Amino acid sequence: MATAAHDVTPAEASAHPLAESIVVRFAGDSGDGMQLTGGQFTLSTALAGNDLATFPDFPAEIRAPQGTLFGVSAFQINFGSTAIETAGDAPDVLVAMNPAALKTNVQSLKIGGLIIADEGEFGDRNLAKAKYDANPLTDGSLAKWQLMAFNISQLTLEAVKPFGLGNKEALRCKNMWTLGLALWMFDRDRAPIVDWLTKKFAKAPTLAEANIAALNAGHAYGETAEISGGGLGDKRLQQHHIAVAPAEEGLWRTVTGADSISLGLVAGAQLANVKMFFGGYPITPASAILHSLSRLKEFGVTTFQAEDEIAAIASAIGASYAGQLGVTSSSGPGIALKGEAMGLAIMTELPLVIVNSQRGGPSTGLPTKTEQSDLYQAVYGRNGDAPMPVIAARSAADCFDCAIEAVRIATQYMTPVMLLTDGYIANAAEPWKVPDVADYEPFPVQFLDHVPEGGFQPYARDAKLARPWAIPGTPGLLHRIGGIEKQQGTGNIEYGPENHQAMTDIRKAKVDNIAIPDQQVELGETSGTLAIVGWGSTFGPIHQAVRRARQRGLDVSHIHIRHIWPMPKNMAVLLRGFAHILVPEMNTGQLKTVLRDQFLVDAKPLNKVSGQPFQIAEIEAAIDAALAGHPGGEVAVNSDQLPSIEAVTP
């Protein structure tokens, strides 16, 4: 392995093979710029040609008291020369900018992993805020890890001294010093970061120069200080080079889930040949979709920030009635507020896309943490029998295709559609191959623009049971709109029992018969001993865990569901081909219950409700436990002692 000290001999190379991937976590106070640092390190990693996945993890408080445990912000990135599908389990390297960052993150670090700490922040006051009785940098409590502690704060002050900044302003540059050191450690080019700083501080060139100086100083420290030449295995910093990951030819970019959904919604509207109206209200972690779409006006997108969640969805329904594609987005609490209006969209049978970026609940819950606990809400969470298609994206890149699919179903079947993501997907970034638009089949909307022979029937049905989309003001197409039950065909108000039964059955049949692809097996056989069935952001850890298990000769397959409601027509036959079914979810077993209800299969839950994504090791351990045999038992994760797995009698 090439280091900063000497060239590697063939014997050394064979004794120490190149790492395929490395997990790094930057952690500090919420004012230390860890998200910005991680984002720019992600940019440099993508430009270096590595595959990657990120996990931003930050507090809900806008600005928690400095140095406190609940004010810690972290950014984890897993990058490598092979396919990377998760942000990684235990980090190899932890960069801790203060005692609180160290305390909240160190237990997740691999045994023998490297800690880089800013000893300048480990004074008595900060130690007390982090509830340390003694300085962990000197008391031996970190002995099972490798420790590199140096005064990043002081080194930053010295680097930016020529620019005349005040002490507070100068210390804001220390994240760039840290980034410079990380760029040196992993053989990254500084030029893109310098360009970014120059543009970011174009109106304050002194700040640009100071931050660039800090970046260069951190890089130079790694190059010149007497800490190089070794590696993570001998308690010295080492320059690691991760080979370029193999990738298909084409245009690639990094994308977050929020960006990907926004682009997919625009692409879907273009394929449907309709303009798009987005009615939104700010809420974490869904707000980024409003921000992204507001920058895409040239594609016929109108964005509207409403006064509340109800107004946001109501405005989107109004836009759909007027002949545009209405879209709204929120997270769990806002989706609850939108519930009545969703029923209105179902009753009026208008196209609408509702994006739910799930977060920890209930109520305000965990605004910045991830969860999958809104599946019941998505499938069942409206008054009356109110069926609605539900789609779940598996990753940031997958959001693009899922958004197009949501638009297709909404416009072709005249129905609202819910698209589920979560906080992990919304904020995480990964490489995305920009697709060729020519590969997507258009599904242009056919507005009714004339009075049909025999007269206009606003609730007449086509072969898909969809009613016509008639734009208000079209001569001869005047019709009622509203939430009261419709008479078959005419759409007039009708309370009759036979009519309500018939309309309820029609709305259900329309959703049940939506054309969706058959369910595929992502990895493994179409029948066997054990199927791991997942949905949403659990895809990465499940896929890696199943791959590892199969490499060990275990009979396990991975099934991942995109169409949650209605489910693919072949799902019953597919599930019954396995002796055991295990369903990992970041909730208390919601998909498991749906599978049991719909297909009468004995699905078992693997549940985690900690606000954190699954680790690969947790699912691997659950696979081993399930195949070892726990008749009649359920497998549960103890999130306090990962990856402990225990059998729980139902």
Side-chain angles (χ1 to χ4, degrees):
M1 182 181 291
T3 73
H6 67 281
D7 292 331
V8 174
T9 67
E12 289 174 319
S14 60
H16 302 282
L18 291 173
E20 290 188 334
S21 67
I22 290 180
V23 180
V24 179
R25 183 180 297 178
F26 300 94
D29 191 76
S30 55
D32 284 339
M34 293 297 95
Q35 302 306 315
L36 185 147
T37 302
Q40 292 306 305
F41 187 78
T42 299
L43 171 64
S44 69
T45 299
L47 291 173
N50 297 138
D51 198 6
L52 63 94
T54 70
F55 176 44
D57 188 16
F58 43 86
E61 290 77 12
I62 293 174
R63 186 66 176 89
Q66 191 169 3
T68 57
L69 293 171
F70 52 88
V72 173
S73 177
F75 186 102
Q76 182 163 308
I77 177 171
N78 182 12
F79 58 98
S81 58
T82 109
I84 302 294
E85 293 169 329
T86 79
D89 285 4
D92 299 286
V93 180
L94 170 63
V95 179
M97 303 298 286
N98 65 8
L102 178 67
K103 189 163 193 176
T104 56
N105 289 279
V106 71
Q107 293 303 323
S108 64
L109 186 66
K110 286 180 180 176
I111 302 299
L114 176 64
I115 300 168
I116 298 175
D118 179 8
E119 64 182 7
E121 290 292 321
F122 280 71
D124 292 342
R125 185 178 180 187
N126 279 347
L127 289 169
K129 287 182 181 179
K131 305 188 185 306
Y132 274 118
D133 296 325
N135 189 338
L137 303 184
T138 58
D139 69 357
S141 61
L142 304 177
K144 60 183 177 181
W145 298 286
Q146 299 168 56
L147 175 63
M148 296 295 304
F150 34 87
N151 197 331
I152 295 175
S153 296
Q154 185 59 43
L155 290 166
T156 302
L157 290 174
E158 293 173 2
V160 303
K161 187 176 181 180
F163 301 97
L165 302 180
N167 195 68
K168 184 176 181 180
E169 204 167 31
L171 285 175
R172 286 178 180 162
C173 299
K174 69 179 182 178
N175 64 328
M176 287 296 107
W177 194 100
T178 306
L179 178 59
L181 180 63
L183 293 179
W184 172 82
M185 280 185 67
F186 298 105
D187 195 18
R188 299 280 182 259
D189 186 6
R190 282 167 287 164
I193 313 301
V194 172
D195 291 343
W196 174 79
L197 287 168
T198 302
K199 293 176 183 176
K200 179 178 176 63
F201 295 108
K203 296 182 179 179
T206 301
L207 289 179
E209 292 173 8
N211 278 280
I212 291 169
L215 180 81
N216 290 334
H219 193 277
Y221 191 84
E223 284 184 311
T224 61
E226 293 182 1
I227 57 175
S228 62
L232 301 184
D234 67 359
K235 301 187 179 181
R236 289 179 290 175
L237 287 182
Q238 177 187 12
Q239 190 173 49
H240 295 260
H241 178 78
I242 302 294
V244 172
E248 298 177 28
E249 290 186 5
L251 176 63
W252 289 78
R253 58 164 287 183
T254 57
V255 68
T256 66
D259 289 337
S260 184
I261 277 182
S262 301
L263 294 171
L265 289 170
V266 172
Q270 296 283 313
L271 291 168
N273 196 28
V274 292
K275 293 183 178 180
M276 186 174 79
F277 175 93
F278 181 89
Y281 182 76
I283 184 171
T284 302
S287 301
I289 298 173
L290 172 59
H291 302 160
S292 294
L293 286 173
S294 67
R295 297 190 290 267
L296 300 173
K297 294 182 176 66
E298 66 270 28
F299 297 105
V301 178
T302 300
T303 52
F304 168 60
Q305 181 175 317
E307 64 269 29
D308 56 42
E309 296 282 10
I310 298 171
I313 187 172
S315 66
I317 293 172
S320 290
Y321 178 60
Q324 295 193 14
L325 173 64
V327 181
T328 190
S329 83
S330 192
S331 298
I335 295 296
L337 290 169
K338 295 178 190 290
E340 182 183 0
M342 288 183 214
L344 174 62
I346 291 168
M347 177 63 77
T348 57
E349 298 188 51
L350 287 168
L352 178 71
V353 175
I354 305 140
V355 181
N356 181 355
S357 301
Q358 300 165 96
R359 69 189 207 185
S363 186
T364 309
L366 307 174
T368 61
K369 307 303 179 184
T370 196
E371 209 163 276
Q372 292 180 300
S373 54
D374 293 351
L375 187 141
Y376 285 161
Q377 183 185 44
V379 175
Y380 305 119
R382 292 161 295 282
N383 65 295
D385 280 294
M388 185 168 71
V390 179
I391 298 170
R394 65 174 61 173
S395 66
D398 188 50
C399 286
F400 181 81
D401 287 322
C402 286
I404 291 176
E405 177 70 346
V407 174
R408 180 189 72 84
I409 292 174
T411 55
Q412 295 297 297
Y413 291 85
M414 294 294 286
T415 179
V417 178
M418 186 173 289
L419 173 54
L420 294 173
T421 71
D422 56 41
Y424 181 26
I425 291 176
N427 295 320
E430 65 177 357
W432 175 56
K433 184 184 178 184
V434 179
D436 185 346
V437 179
D439 293 337
Y440 291 85
E441 184 177 350
F443 41 87
V445 164
Q446 299 295 323
F447 292 107
L448 186 62
D449 58 3
H450 63 280
V451 178
E453 185 177 348
F456 173 51
Q457 293 279 300
Y459 280 80
R461 306 286 167 178
D462 64 11
K464 300 188 293 291
L465 298 181
R467 79 175 186 90
W469 196 354
I471 298 176
T474 305
L477 302 187
L478 182 69
H479 62 284
R480 292 178 181 271
I481 199 78
I484 294 181
E485 182 61 279
K486 309 298 177 199
Q487 186 181 62
Q488 294 184 68
T490 69
N492 295 330
I493 293 173
E494 172 60 69
Y495 296 120
E498 295 83 4
N499 180 79
H500 181 54
Q501 179 74 58
M503 290 297 285
T504 300
D505 291 343
I506 289 170
R507 288 188 291 261
K508 181 179 186 300
K510 180 174 71 170
V511 172
D512 287 346
N513 292 319
I514 288 173
I516 58 176
D518 279 351
Q519 181 64 48
Q520 302 298 310
V521 176
E522 302 294 338
L523 192 61
E525 309 303 324
T526 55
S527 62
T529 305
L530 175 64
I532 308 298
V533 181
W535 67 281
S537 66
T538 57
F539 177 85
I542 292 175
H543 206 63
Q544 292 284 14
V546 170
R547 178 181 289 128
R548 293 179 185 180
R550 290 183 61 81
Q551 288 173 347
R552 294 188 283 124
L554 301 182
D555 184 9
V556 57
S557 298
H558 176 199
I559 298 170
H560 215 78
I561 304 174
R562 169 182 284 182
H563 291 89
I564 302 293
W565 198 271
M567 287 201 182
K569 298 292 190 289
N570 68 327
M571 184 64 78
V573 173
L574 182 61
L575 293 180
R576 288 172 185 157
F578 292 91
H580 303 283
I581 298 168
L582 182 66
V583 186
E585 300 181 79
M586 292 184 289
N587 58 45
T588 56
Q590 297 184 18
L591 179 64
K592 171 267 302 179
T593 302
V594 173
L595 294 178
R596 286 179 173 181
D597 169 61
Q598 292 296 302
F599 306 115
L600 302 179
V601 294
D602 189 20
K604 303 294 186 184
L606 175 65
N607 302 328
K608 181 176 183 178
V609 194
S610 65
Q612 300 292 316
F614 270 104
Q615 294 186 356
I616 301 167
E618 293 170 336
I619 297 174
E620 270 197 288
I623 290 171
D624 289 342
L627 292 176
H630 291 278
E634 294 188 352
V635 185
V637 171
N638 179 344
S639 59
D640 295 325
Q641 295 180 330
L642 300 177
S644 173
I645 306 295
E646 59 185 40
V648 180
T649 302

